[in-house]
Amino acid sequence: MDPPTQSLPRPAQDFPEPTPTDAYIIPTLGLHEGTFVFSYLSTFLSYITPYDLPVELLRDAFHARVSFLQLIMEALKVESGYICLIAIFFLVSLIPLCYTIAWGCSKTADDDINPGPTVDAVIHAEELSLEESLQCRRSFLGLMLQIIILLLIASIIAMFITNEQIASAIDQTPIVVRSSLIDVETFLKDTEQQISFLLFEGLATAVDRIRSDMNDLDKLLGEPIQNHLSLFTGIDIIFESIMDIGTSSNNLFRRISLLQETLARAAKISYEAEYRLDELQIQLSVLQRQCTYRDRPLCDTLKIKNFEESGLIEKIRKLQNEPVLAKLMSMGEAGKNSTMKTLTQELTLARSIFRNYKTDLKNATAPSKEHIESYLEGLSNTTLLSTNTFSNSLNALVVEVTKTANFSDSFFDYYREVGAILWLTGLTATVCTLLVTLILLAALSCGCCHSDNKAGLTLVFGAIVICLSSIALSGFAMIEMLLGAHGQVFICNPLYDEPNYTILGKLIDKPGLIYPVEPQNGIIDEVLRSVDPNKTFSVNISLANAINECQRQKGTFSTFQLDTLLNISSIMDCHSYPHLDHAIDELGATEIPFIGFTNQIQSTLEGMLTDSDINLATFRMDLTQLSPDKDVVTFIDQLQRVSAQIQDVATSSRMTTLGSRAKRLQTSLLVPLEQLRGDIVYHLTALEFQLSPWANQVNKSLIHLKSAQSYLDAESAEICHNKSEQFRSRLKGHFESYRNHTHVILSDKCASCRPLFDIFDAMRMLFCHHIMDPMNGLWFSSFVCLFLWAIATPVSLMMSTTYRRLEMLSGKLQHSNSNYYGNEGSTRSDPRLQLPPHQQQPPHLDPSGHWSIQRSISVHIAAAKESCTDDDIIADDVDAYRDGEVVIEYIELQFDDGDPTKFRECLI
């Protein structure tokens, strides 16, 4: 299996990504800020209108297919909840009027203040008790009225705030609508810019990568082939080992050169030594002839070997002329025709062929690259033409949006007038409600200032005003309720019907309220068809899916199925352009340079092995056995022994002279020759040790080279094909990466349609939360005021009655006090009612104008037993009563703060 040497295409994130604009206005308006208190009313309204909207009826009404009366009659069938609310409003508004009429028609029992004739003290006590009861009632009614006034004030504040919120939202509506239209234009332009940028810049990046890869073809195709072949053949290592053979051959050359030099010196010395030995042998022959007859037998024993007999010179000459050594020397020589020179040249050529393969491949593929370049240029032009339809469609939409923005100006003038009328009506209702509340507050203030008569009249006046205002406020609340509730049900509920938007889809998508004929593919396709009636594509996407996708920040391209408009799949696929695809397929590498490119090196190495076949051991053994120096030394020793035995003095003297000559020959020539012979043996031994590894190295290199060449001849074609296919796949992979990256970006990041959802959300937020919620809050606050008025009317009238009765009771108490406590002459003369002087206090006038005495008063009540019942007699000790006995009780009235209306009874 081939190793993964081919690098993968660059990651998709290297492609340029468009930068979306942040120049949208809607997010800066702050429509989502604030607290919408009355949003809960939408839930209540959904409960009273549980039916689906009659879409068919609305369509017929929109296209004037039904009369207004028929529309009302059909609407009543599904608006029973609203009818009940209107009835409740109307009935609640009638409560103050009905109660006021009933109160006015009823007779006030003013005489009941005095319960009847009885004892004066008892009358006075009952009057005080009644006044205390009325005061308690007045306090309770006053507290209730205060609570009602506080609730009314809170409701009026709510009415004022909601009315101002409605007015502010209506004033802001033109700004929001214009901002929305501007944002739509910005979105369309930004979408066109982002998608065009993504397509053109992405294609330009892919084209640049293809061009870069073709420029780096030597690195991306030639170099992987080289690396693969080098890895599986080890050709570089083989070349290095062959280069090491040259180094070893140089060592052999030096060793053989030393051997030859030694042989040359030995031959020269041997020649001279041979000549000297020949002379010495002649002299020995002359000496032997001159010996006396008696000494001749001794003289004949002397004998010396010459070089011919030893064979030294012949061996040296044979070794000098050995042809194998000459060939081995030629392998290490740097001469012109030497073997190593030839091997070096062939090796250099082979290495050049292998190492320059990527450069040669780059030059050989230049025509194919030119064809690809021309087709890439045509692809860019085709892409430009393919995007014209997309750009034209978006530009047409921008023109339509601009026309809508210009048309909306005249509508907003009328819209502002309606808003001003609504605001003025709401303000009038709020002010009127506030005035009624102020009347009640004024009556309450008069009661606190003890102006009971004014307080009572003011309360009656306030009740009459409430009767009149309730009818008007109920009408206002009904109108506001109808506007707010219908706006909530007909507009807000469909707009917030997430995630299906069923009603909204029925209204404007399918079947479509605004189209006379039901659209085939929905409103989005109709919008695109309106800007391009001749379009041949269709966009089949529902409005609900589009809103949900935009809410999740999906891309505009995938959300609105713009692939049918732009056909990006064919643009980004190189197979859609057969000429370009064919030109890429023609781009490839050839294996021809690797076929048999080491044959010459193999031949040279085989010749080197053949030429290096020599047996150096034979020469070494022969030279080891020959030693002329030893022969001469033996001759000199023999000559000395014979000379000692010779009797003839002359002969002995001549032998001594001959021995001296032999000694000089041995010292001057044979000793150096013996040394050179040893050097020759040494060089032969060293050469033998060098030659064997060298031959093994040559043999191994030859075997490896043959194996590598066999692999190249068998596999290089397939390897070049596979690597070429990988390179072509890399080039086409740039288109694939471009397509995948473009699809991912278009589906997720590029030209997000979230701004459209923000516009949609802003419009429904403005209408539903900034207009409808305050409007619902306005009618709800008005209804709360109606309800509080319905409670305040009986409270006010009862409080007015209480004030009137307190006023009448105050007059009677003042008269009673003047009779019993006004002066000393009117005091009872019964001695049992007299108090000691130290307990009496002077009279004073209280703040209400009544005379009272600030001391304890004892009231003597006497009654006969037969005129009393058991229930009327209260005693601490029952045994104290006896039959027929009159019981006398003393009751002490304790007054608080000198007020005769505030007292308590104590038995004493």
Side-chain angles (χ1 to χ4, degrees), residues 95-96 99-104 106 108 110 133-145 148 440 443-444 452-453 455-464 466 788-807:
I95 290 175
Y99 188 85
T100 303
I101 294 174
W103 178 82
S106 65
T108 304
D110 296 335
S133 176
L134 292 176
Q135 290 291 347
C136 182
R137 181 185 299 179
R138 184 187 70 170
S139 299
F140 174 73
L141 294 175
L143 178 61
M144 286 190 62
L145 190 59
I148 292 172
L440 296 178
L444 190 63
D452 297 343
N453 189 19
L457 293 176
T458 306
L459 289 173
V460 173
F461 175 73
I464 295 172
I466 287 175
L788 293 175
W789 281 353
I791 300 174
T793 300
V795 172
S796 299
L797 293 177
M798 286 189 292
M799 197 171 182
S800 175
T801 302
T802 302
Y803 279 133
R804 182 168 54 83
R805 297 182 69 182
L806 282 173
E807 184 69 22

Side-chain angles (χ1 to χ4, degrees), residues 345-455:
Q345 291 177 351
E346 292 173 356
L347 184 62
T348 302
L349 179 61
R351 294 179 70 176
S352 176
I353 292 174
F354 188 81
R355 291 182 177 179
N356 294 334
Y357 174 77
K358 57 184 180 181
T359 304
D360 297 337
L361 178 62
K362 183 177 182 179
N363 297 329
T365 55
S368 299
K369 291 190 291 184
E370 292 179 358
H371 292 162
I372 294 175
E373 287 279 357
S374 61
Y375 293 137
L376 289 176
E377 188 67 25
L379 175 61
S380 300
N381 296 332
T382 303
T383 303
L384 178 62
L385 295 176
S386 299
T387 55
N388 286 337
T389 304
F390 172 71
S391 299
N392 293 335
S393 299
L394 291 187
N395 292 332
L397 285 176
V398 171
V399 173
E400 292 297 325
V401 172
T402 304
K403 291 180 180 178
T404 303
N406 296 331
F407 171 77
S408 63
D409 293 337
S410 58
F411 169 77
F412 286 135
D413 295 336
Y414 174 76
Y415 180 78
R416 290 191 187 92
E417 293 177 0
V418 174
I421 293 174
L422 290 177
W423 175 79
L424 185 59
T425 303
L427 182 62
T428 302
T430 305
V431 172
C432 291
T433 307
L434 178 61
L435 292 177
V436 175
T437 304
L438 291 177
I439 293 174
L440 296 178
L441 184 61
L444 190 63
S445 300
C446 291
C448 294
C449 296
H450 302 286
S451 299
D452 297 343
N453 189 19
K454 296 179 180 179

